[in-house]
Structures are given as structure tokens and as C-alpha cells.
Amino acid sequence: MNILQGKNVFDVTGKVVIVTGAATGLGEGYAHIFAESGCKVACADINIAEAENTAADIRSQGGEAQAFRVDVTKRESIKTMVEEVLRTYGRIDVLVNNAGVEHIEPFTEVSEEHYDFITSVNLKGVFFTAQETAKAMKKNGGGKIINIGSLGSYIGLAESSVYCTTKGGVIQMSKTLSIELGPDNIQVNCVAPGYFITPMTQPFYDDPEHRAWIESRIPLHEWGTVADLAGPMLFLASSASDYITGTTIKVDGGWLAC
């Protein structure tokens, strides 16, 4: 029996990968992970200057990357970004639907402006970026969509009511998209990171009391690093996950096991 037939099912060399929110934080990390693995990376972000920095850093290390401006709250902006990526690279193999925002405040003080902004980025943006990218993937015979969830997809977090609502929605959205896009050979899955040090979580890390509480809840007793996300991301982007869709990989040091 020769099951693998000499193939490396985890190989992603040459794949074209869009990473939204690639300017900073985990999005920047995802861009580097795929570039280091031999992919051509489209670093998409509303902050084009920072996205250019990410792409330039990748190129300085011998990788292939270009920056593309996108406002994920605007369908026309998403469409333009996808068209530009197609003109540059000819196809799209993987979408890392990462762009997301948070605004910490008590539920009773949430303004309509903050509610609309968070939901527009975290739900509307994920939805329509997946939609536009899926159209291109269909023409190419398939692809991989990796939506980014959170611990907040599963648990409530005080003063994060809107964020948790949107991240729970991302999980349900991914399940539905996996059903509709399955016949087109497009797998849709999620990665739900736990606590990683990013610009969004830095205030929690810098607060000794809050940091100690977080670490007490993690069985592995430490925050995650971008390197901890490399395996799950590359797995979901590769042919190794061709028969996996509509599911979520939790990368949380065991938090949700408690």
C-alpha cells in the first residue's frame, strides 16, 4: 500500500495566499508563516503603509509578497483588492480572513457607532471577503478559506459583548459557507487563537493582575506565540486538510478544556 504516493501533503509551495489585517499583530505573523513556507502572499490591510512594511520585510528575507489596500467594511474595496491580487498573481488559493477589531467597554455604554464598526469589520468584512474570494477560487477549481475566530467565539468576556457576538458569528458563518462551497472544492474552516501578545491584547499582558489571571486559566501556563499558529494554519491551507471543512481548530493552550 502506498497511501501518500510520495507526496508531501503539507506542502504549500507556490500557493497564492491573501492575508487580511496583515499590517500588524497575528495577521503580520500569518503573512510571514506563509511566505517562509514558499507561498506568494498578498498582504491586505486598510493601513497600506504598514502592509507595505510587512511585505517589504518578507521580501528582505527572500520571500514573495505584495501589499494591497482594502477596507473590509466596503464591498467595492474588497472587490478591487481581489481583482488586483488576481492581476498580480493570476489566482487565489488561500484566504486568511483575519481582519478584526475590538473596543473594550461595558455593555451598557456600547454606542451604536462602536457596535456598527466592530460588526462591520468582524462579520460583514469576513462575509464579503470570503464571498468575493470564493468567486475567484471557483474559477480556479477550489481553494481554502481560513476564518479567524477567538476564545470569544465560545466564551463570554466582560466588556467585550460586541466582539464576542461577532466572533461567535464567524464560527456559524464558516459552517454555513462550508456547506455551500463544498461542491466547488472550497474548504472553509476556522482557527480560534487563545491569548497571544498582539497590539489588541498588549494592555492585558502589561497588567500584572490581569496577566496572572489569564495564565492561571491556561493549562500550559503561558501565552501563545505566532510560531504556535504555524502548524494549524499550514495544515488548513494544504492538501492535508482536503477532507476537513466547517470545523474550528482551537489554539489556546488548553483554555477551553477547563
Side-chain angles (χ1 to χ4, degrees), residues 106-201:
F107 165 67
T108 53
E109 297 178 16
V110 174
S111 66
E112 185 174 4
E113 178 185 8
H114 288 163
Y115 179 91
D116 287 345
F117 178 58
I118 296 171
T119 55
S120 288
V121 175
N122 295 5
L123 273 180
K124 180 183 176 182
V126 170
F127 186 96
F128 286 109
T129 304
Q131 182 190 76
E132 204 61 43
T133 305
K135 294 176 185 177
M137 290 178 174
K138 285 183 180 184
K139 296 177 182 178
N140 194 46
K144 309 278 189 172
I145 295 176
I146 306 171
N147 295 325
I148 303 301
S150 164
L151 279 179
S153 299
Y154 296 94
I155 64 175
L157 296 168
E159 301 189 342
S160 292
S161 56
V162 186
Y163 178 81
C164 289
T165 297
T166 60
K167 287 301 183 178
V170 168
I171 300 295
Q172 288 300 103
M173 182 197 306
S174 302
K175 291 178 180 179
T176 301
L177 299 188
S178 72
I179 296 168
E180 292 200 38
L181 297 176
D184 298 302
N185 191 33
I186 299 172
Q187 291 83 49
V188 184
N189 292 293
C190 284
V191 169
Y195 276 93
F196 289 72
I197 304 173
T198 68
M200 188 182 295
T201 62

Side-chain angles (χ1 to χ4, degrees), residues 35-54:
E36 289 177 27
S37 301
C39 297
K40 301 171 184 178
V41 184
C43 302
D45 205 286
I46 194 170
N47 188 334
I48 189 61
E50 289 297 323
E52 290 279 9
N53 288 341
T54 299

Side-chain angles (χ1 to χ4, degrees), residues 215-222 252-258:
E215 292 175 355
S216 73
R217 295 293 307 271
I218 303 173
L220 295 184
H221 298 301
E222 60 183 5
D252 62 357
W255 180 300
L256 291 169
C258 299

Side-chain angles (χ1 to χ4, degrees), residues 80-96:
T80 298
M81 179 270 291
V82 169
E83 290 173 346
E84 290 177 351
V85 173
L86 289 172
R87 279 196 294 270
T88 302
Y89 292 120
R91 69 182 193 279
I92 299 166
D93 300 303
V94 181
L95 167 65
V96 180

